[in-house]
Amino acid sequence: MNQFEQQIDQYLDLDYGITARQAIVEQLYNAVSKAAMKSLSFSEQSGKKGCYFSAEFLLGRLIYSNLLNLGLLERCRTYLNQNGFDAGVFESIDDDALGNGGLGRLAACFLDSAATHGIPLNGFGIRYKYGLFHQYFQDGFQKETADDWLKAGDPWGIRGESEAVTVKFADQTVRAIPYDMPVIGYGGNTVNRLRLWQAEPLSAFDFEQFNLQKYDEAVEERIRAEEITAVLYPNDDTPAGKQLRLKQQYFFTSASLQSLVKEFLQKHGESFSHFPKEFAIQLNDTHPVIAIPELLRILMEEHQLSFDEAFPIVRDTFAYTNHTIMAEALEKWEVSLFLTVAPQVYPYVVLLQNALNREIKERNIEQQDKAALQIISGGQIHMARLAVYASHATNGVAKIHSELLKSNVLPEWYRMYPERFQNKTNGITQRRWLALCNQELSGFINERIGNGWVTDLNQLKRLTAYLDDSASLAQFREIKRQKKIQLCNHVRIHEYGFELNPDFIFDVQIKRLHEYKRQLLNAFSILDIYFAIKDGTLTDFTPTAFLFGAKAAPGYRRAKGIIKFINEIARLISADPEVKDKLQVLFVQNYNVSYAEKLIPAADVSEQISTAGTEASGTGNMKLMLNGAVTLGTLDGANIEIVEQAGEENNYIFGATVDEIAQLSNTYHPKALYESNPRIRRVVDTLIDGTLDDGDTGLFRELYDSLLKGVSWHKPDQYYLLQDFESYCEAKLRANRDYRNAEEFSHKCLANTARAGYFSSDRTVREYAQEIWGI
Ligand code: 26W
């Protein structure tokens, strides 16, 4: 037996005194992970290092991807089989879900790509005790439970007791302890690091206090410290104006900077002008932006630099990525609240504001631009403005998004610093999102073009030679069918025996639940199809299963109402024998990275239907494309670049463009559309006419009103569902008809796979390294 297998046996024996055959899953999981860890050491990083500061890292399940990258996946499978286990045993181990959605998953893809290509990039974040909540449905309503992800142990995290630092707040001082996780590049040559900080009380146990009978105070101190990293905020796109959230942000950025400064001092002493040549810090959205005044503070207060010395160092070190144009998601902190968290940092925000004022004076700025060029304004600190001002680069995450940043979100800042604005179109790692989750399609590709694509996704272009090869297309369809059957089996177990039909088209919408993503529009189109089938006006419909996966922020009423609505549609349709051989609707529970790995390879149609100008990029769209689904989508985010690459003829594009929406916005009258279009009226009325029941919660009525009446804070139908309804239904039915020509449709699917090379995060990370970090 070899090293790896022997190590597993040894850990099982040492830690639990058992053999593999006696082990339960958690024991096996820990032993296999530790055995894999044993073969690793963190790479020596010379030269400039990238530091990815992010409040979220949505890693998913680590064991299989780490084994894949180490080349141990097959050996592990054999070992498990020999000991009477299925290779899938670890599917019961929870994901590492320390993130909400796109932004956190992007961070995970970047780490994988950098390590694979030997780019020294380390992640810095928070070791939440509880990650994103688990979701289940009760009577079609979302319920949440805690994500106790550490219950199976954390074999990949190494506690760094000796590298702990302290972080000071207005009302408490805590210890920050790093847990380092290896980020293993494909091939195992580079091992970078993800450092997640955990908050603990200053002293493990204060015996003096204990002796003084201050036991309660010691307990209290522990609770107050641990609270800081207790739980990930489940809000996606709406900032929680909460003190604790700002505490989390300051906690991990201050700890991370302290450890970087320590490392720097050991190497270079006090010659801080060299700092930006040692580290490039990328700020993942505004969440870590408080790092900017904190570094300024450390340099000036602890190392006696002047502002004029420190500011250029800070500016050259940081760069900022924006992930959303939704105005309500741009973080602002009340000065008064800021002062209750990190009062020592505030004077450095003021110094930056003063420097900005001087610059505005020198530059002869237009009067009308001045109000927006304030970091502190109206008693609030605008974190995005702070980031643009005190960093050297600001980027959006898809071409159109980066353009909108310049024209709509931060136009005054763009006029002042045009040279700072960049685009870095998002990407995804093909290791997890093809090699790992779709080994069947990977095999198909390898047989034709070899496996170079695993580290060079542009090689997929060579598949275009097979786009008209009937045998290849037939095999491609057979693989899609296998992946559907695998999903059916998973769904049967996890969705109360639901019998998904693998002969149906699988039409998939998976992403966080948000009004702008328009899951409600998808729901309306399904109802429209349902009624048309019942009426007999739609006779040539190819049977379709509509699959949804999404979590709603627990406090987001409308999002929860939409989940209930779709679950009620599912109930209506499954109870109707007239449509059961034509339609299925399923909202899967607890959609997460691991569920995505099952859904994506099985999808025929990828729903990317956000209102043009609202989705910054999207990355699920890229994963579905890579796995050979056609995009049914709007010209929004990266969809635009997807059809640029794959061809409009291989996808289904519909709806108003960004420019058309802008044109329309002042005269838009959804009520008129509702009144003049009976199809629209019929589906919208199901919200209030008793067709579907929200259990007297008023949720459906609120959705109805949001579309037709509006409320104090927005106009009716602010996301233009009714505007796009007809062209959406038309495009959906066109795809549905096209599917019947199997050969032509699979040509489109394979064309999407073949042209997905651009969307590798390998490309994205290289662009960051070259154009922002100087690595
Ligand atoms: C503070 C509240 C808050 C929470 C989360 C504000 C903003 C966010 C994120 C920026 C939301 C997010 O995940 N954005 C997504 O980022 C992805 C990666 O760039 C993009 O692909 C998605 O389009 C964007 O919605």
Side-chain angles (χ1 to χ4, degrees):
M1 234 204 303
N2 286 313
Q3 268 270 290
F4 172 61
E5 291 80 357
Q6 279 170 3
Q7 286 287 349
I8 303 174
D9 287 341
Q10 234 174 63
Y11 279 117
L12 286 170
D13 185 34
L14 277 170
D15 291 348
Y16 313 108
I18 53 170
T19 65
R21 289 191 166 270
Q22 300 167 306
I24 60 167
V25 180
E26 285 76 10
Q27 293 169 331
L28 261 182
Y29 167 67
N30 278 283
V32 172
S33 304
K34 283 195 197 171
M37 285 284 274
K38 187 87 182 173
S39 67
L40 296 176
S41 54
F42 289 106
S43 300
E44 199 52 58
Q45 298 176 328
S46 56
K48 190 170 178 180
K49 292 170 279 289
C51 307
Y52 205 77
F53 278 25
S54 179
E56 306 188 7
F57 287 90
L58 186 43
L59 301 172
R61 197 173 287 133
L62 285 177
I63 185 160
Y64 293 119
S65 56
N66 281 344
L67 291 172
L68 172 80
N69 286 5
L70 285 169
L72 291 172
L73 197 56
E74 279 316 307
R75 274 169 69 183
C76 182
R77 190 199 304 273
T78 307
Y79 176 91
L80 289 170
N81 291 163
Q82 283 170 352
N83 288 288
F85 293 94
D86 187 273
V89 273
F90 299 133
E91 293 192 8
S92 67
I93 301 293
D94 275 336
D95 282 16
D96 280 21
L98 307 185
N100 271 287
L103 158 144
R105 182 54 231 175
L106 184 72
C109 284
F110 283 180
L111 295 184
D112 181 85
S113 285
T116 294
H117 292 287
I119 297 169
L121 176 71
N122 299 319
F124 294 82
I126 300 173
R127 189 173 190 259
Y128 302 103
K129 181 155 198 281
Y130 298 100
L132 188 64
F133 65 85
H134 286 234
Q135 173 202 57
Y136 68 96
F137 299 143
Q138 191 174 71
D139 293 327
F141 291 105
Q142 170 174 298
K143 300 282 165 197
E144 302 96 23
T145 58
D147 167 49
D148 186 9
W149 71 286
L150 291 166
K151 68 177 181 288
D154 176 22
W156 303 101
I158 307 168
R159 186 178 164 99
E161 200 73 53
S162 64
E163 294 183 67
V165 299
T166 61
V167 178
K168 287 198 178 84
F169 296 99
D171 55 347
Q172 68 186 137
T173 301
V174 302
R175 226 156 73 92
I177 294 138
Y179 281 76
D180 290 343
M181 301 172 101
V183 180
I184 304 161
Y186 186 81
N189 294 322
T190 300
V191 181
N192 288 334
R193 192 178 65 191
L194 170 56
R195 173 162 281 192
L196 299 178
W197 296 95
Q198 174 168 297
E200 292 184 9
L202 257 195
S203 43
F205 197 87
D206 194 328
F207 279 100
E208 201 180 340
Q209 286 195 348
F210 184 56
N211 291 337
L212 290 168
Q213 312 263 306
K214 288 190 177 163
Y215 180 81
D216 287 351
E217 275 142 47
V219 170
E220 176 71 12
E221 186 195 344
R222 168 167 294 275
I223 291 170
R224 296 218 319 124
E226 288 174 350
E227 180 187 25
I228 295 170
T229 51
V231 58
L232 167 74
Y233 274 91
N235 317 47
D236 190 76
D237 285 25
T238 32
K242 295 267 165 60
Q243 195 197 46
L244 189 56
R245 190 176 160 93
L246 183 58
K247 269 194 168 169
Q248 291 184 338
Q249 298 180 352
Y250 183 62
F251 170 76
F252 95 89
T253 53
S254 174
S256 304
L257 288 172
Q258 288 182 55
S259 75
L260 293 180
V261 168
K262 247 191 217 167
E263 187 185 327
F264 182 84
L265 286 169
Q266 276 165 14
K267 242 177 148 168
H268 302 284
E270 296 269 339
S271 47
F272 279 104
S273 62
H274 191 73
F275 196 81
K277 299 193 187 81
E278 186 71 21
F279 299 116
I281 303 179
Q282 193 67 35
L283 302 169
N284 201 21
D285 216 90
T286 53
H287 322 152
V289 165
I290 195 171
I292 290 174
E294 171 67 358
L295 181 58
L296 197 57
R297 188 192 67 77
I298 293 173
L299 294 176
M300 293 178 67
E301 216 165 279
E302 296 173 13
H303 299 280
Q304 289 74 47
L305 272 67
S306 68
F307 180 81
D308 289 340
E309 291 166 333
F311 186 33
I313 295 171
V314 169
R315 182 173 275 171
D316 292 346
T317 299
F318 289 105
Y320 158 62
T321 305
N322 173 287
H323 292 267
T324 179
I325 59 161
M326 311 287 277
E328 65 268 28
L330 292 181
E331 283 186 305
K332 303 176 196 72
W333 294 106
E334 294 289 334
V335 172
S336 55
L337 183 133
F338 197 96
L339 290 170
T340 69
V341 172
Q344 73 279 23
V345 179
Y346 184 68
Y348 296 88
V349 180
V350 174
L351 286 183
L352 290 168
Q353 175 69 67
N354 294 342
L356 169 58
N357 289 341
R358 290 195 295 274
E359 206 163 329
I360 288 172
K361 257 202 195 122
E362 279 163 25
R363 282 185 180 236
N364 266 317
I365 298 297
E366 301 270 343
Q367 191 57 36
Q368 76 222 37
D369 281 3
K370 284 186 180 164
L373 293 171
Q374 295 292 302
I375 295 167
I376 306 170
S377 137
Q380 294 183 315
I381 309 172
H382 292 241
M383 302 308 276
R385 296 174 183 177
L386 171 53
V388 178
Y389 178 59
S391 73
H392 65 278
T394 291
N395 74 281
V397 290
K399 251 196 251 167
I400 191 174
H401 169 61
S402 297
E403 288 305 314
L404 288 168
L405 281 185
K406 295 190 282 187
S407 62
N408 294 9
V409 185
L410 298 161
E412 302 83 1
W413 292 91
Y414 174 59
R415 281 194 281 278
M416 185 134 157
Y417 302 112
E419 70 288 354
R420 290 188 190 171
F421 285 74
Q422 298 196 24
N423 173 246
K424 294 285 167 282
T425 297
N426 282 166
I428 57 168
T429 168
Q430 67 268 33
R431 268 79 59 190
R432 181 176 292 267
W433 297 111
L434 182 53
L436 189 65
C437 74
N438 200 342
Q439 290 174 30
E440 294 81 353
L441 184 55
S442 299
F444 168 99
I445 297 168
N446 293 345
E447 282 166 24
R448 286 164 180 78
I449 64 166
N451 64 1
W453 59 272
V454 176
T455 53
D456 176 14
L457 200 61
N458 280 316
Q459 291 190 23
L460 290 183
K461 276 265 152 64
R462 290 158 58 194
L463 287 173
T464 47
Y466 300 90
L467 289 181
D468 297 308
D469 174 36
S470 295
S472 291
L473 293 177
Q475 201 182 327
F476 177 86
R477 285 196 297 279
E478 180 47 38
I479 287 167
K480 189 59 87 178
R481 193 182 152 78
Q482 274 182 47
K483 299 312 283 184
K484 287 184 185 181
I485 290 170
Q486 289 169 18
L487 177 63
C488 292
N489 295 334
H490 185 82
V491 157
R492 192 176 303 117
I493 297 165
H494 289 91
E495 314 296 342
Y496 305 109
F498 192 99
E499 283 294 339
L500 200 52
N501 190 333
D503 297 327
F504 282 23
I505 297 176
F506 281 16
D507 177 308
V508 173
Q509 187 172 21
I510 44 177
K511 50 188 77 260
R512 282 297 288 260
L513 204 310
H514 201 291
E515 287 162 281
Y516 84 78
K517 296 177 189 280
R518 301 201 294 192
Q519 283 96 346
L520 184 57
L521 176 60
N522 189 351
F524 285 152
S525 80
I526 295 168
L527 282 169
D528 183 62
I529 289 167
Y530 171 71
F531 290 134
I533 292 174
K534 299 279 284 182
D535 288 350
T537 54
L538 179 61
T539 50
D540 61 344
F541 183 75
T542 317
T544 303
F546 293 98
L547 304 174
F548 293 85
K551 287 178 181 173
Y556 189 173
R557 266 184 74 81
R558 284 188 194 165
K560 289 184 143 178
I562 293 166
I563 290 180
K564 172 67 174 170
F565 185 61
I566 294 168
N567 276 326
E568 286 310 300
I569 294 170
R571 190 208 302 266
L572 173 79
I573 285 173
S574 71
D576 188 340
E578 267 179 47
V579 297
K580 84 166 202 310
D581 56 348
K582 288 254 154 66
L583 277 181
Q584 291 191 309
V585 179
L586 174 65
F587 207 130
V588 305
Q589 300 175 89
N590 201 40
Y591 172 65
N592 61 7
V593 170
S594 289
Y595 222 135
E597 290 171 25
K598 306 249 179 236
L599 288 158
I600 289 169
D604 298 302
V605 178
S606 162
E607 297 262 2
Q608 307 300 336
I609 61 175
S610 53
T611 316
T614 61
E615 187 71 274
S617 162
T619 45
N621 48 0
M622 301 168 185
K623 295 163 195 167
L624 284 151
M625 175 201 199
L626 179 61
N627 283 273
V630 298
T631 298
L632 170 54
T634 48
L635 288 175
D636 195 23
N639 298 352
I640 294 173
E641 291 159 79
I642 285 177
V643 293
E644 229 170 76
Q645 294 288 325
E648 194 143 349
E649 71 282 6
N650 294 315
N651 291 289
Y652 296 85
I653 298 304
F654 70 93
T657 60
V658 168
D659 291 341
E660 287 163 359
I661 297 266
Q663 289 275 311
L664 231 135
S665 62
N666 286 324
T667 54
Y668 184 52
H669 193 38
K671 192 81 184 273
L673 289 175
Y674 167 85
E675 274 159 2
S676 65
N677 185 326
R679 280 170 63 199
I680 291 181
R681 198 164 55 238
R682 188 166 190 186
V683 297
V684 172
D685 279 349
T686 62
L687 285 165
I688 53 154
D689 66 7
T691 308
L692 302 166
D693 183 1
D694 68 2
D696 289 325
T697 55
L699 287 167
F700 291 177
R701 165 64 69 174
E702 287 166 40
L703 292 174
Y704 180 89
D705 287 345
S706 78
L707 294 173
L708 296 175
K709 298 210 327 218
V711 292
S712 61
W713 38 279
H714 72 77
K715 294 196 246 183
D717 194 14
Q718 59 179 329
Y719 297 114
Y720 302 89
L721 279 71
L722 307 191
Q723 173 66 31
D724 283 346
F725 177 80
E726 275 197 283
S727 66
Y728 175 49
C729 292
E730 184 277 322
K732 193 171 229 174
L733 289 174
R734 191 153 43 84
N736 183 274
R737 278 191 302 277
D738 287 358
Y739 186 86
R740 248 165 296 160
N741 188 330
E743 178 119 347
E744 269 181 32
F745 198 84
S746 36
H747 169 104
K748 292 181 203 287
C749 293
L750 189 56
N752 274 281
T753 302
R755 292 166 191 164
Y758 180 74
F759 302 104
S760 170
S761 46
D762 299 353
R763 187 266 312 151
T764 314
V765 160
R766 279 209 188 92
E767 288 180 5
Y768 276 92
Q770 282 166 19
E771 296 162 24
I772 299 183
W773 304 333
I775 295 178

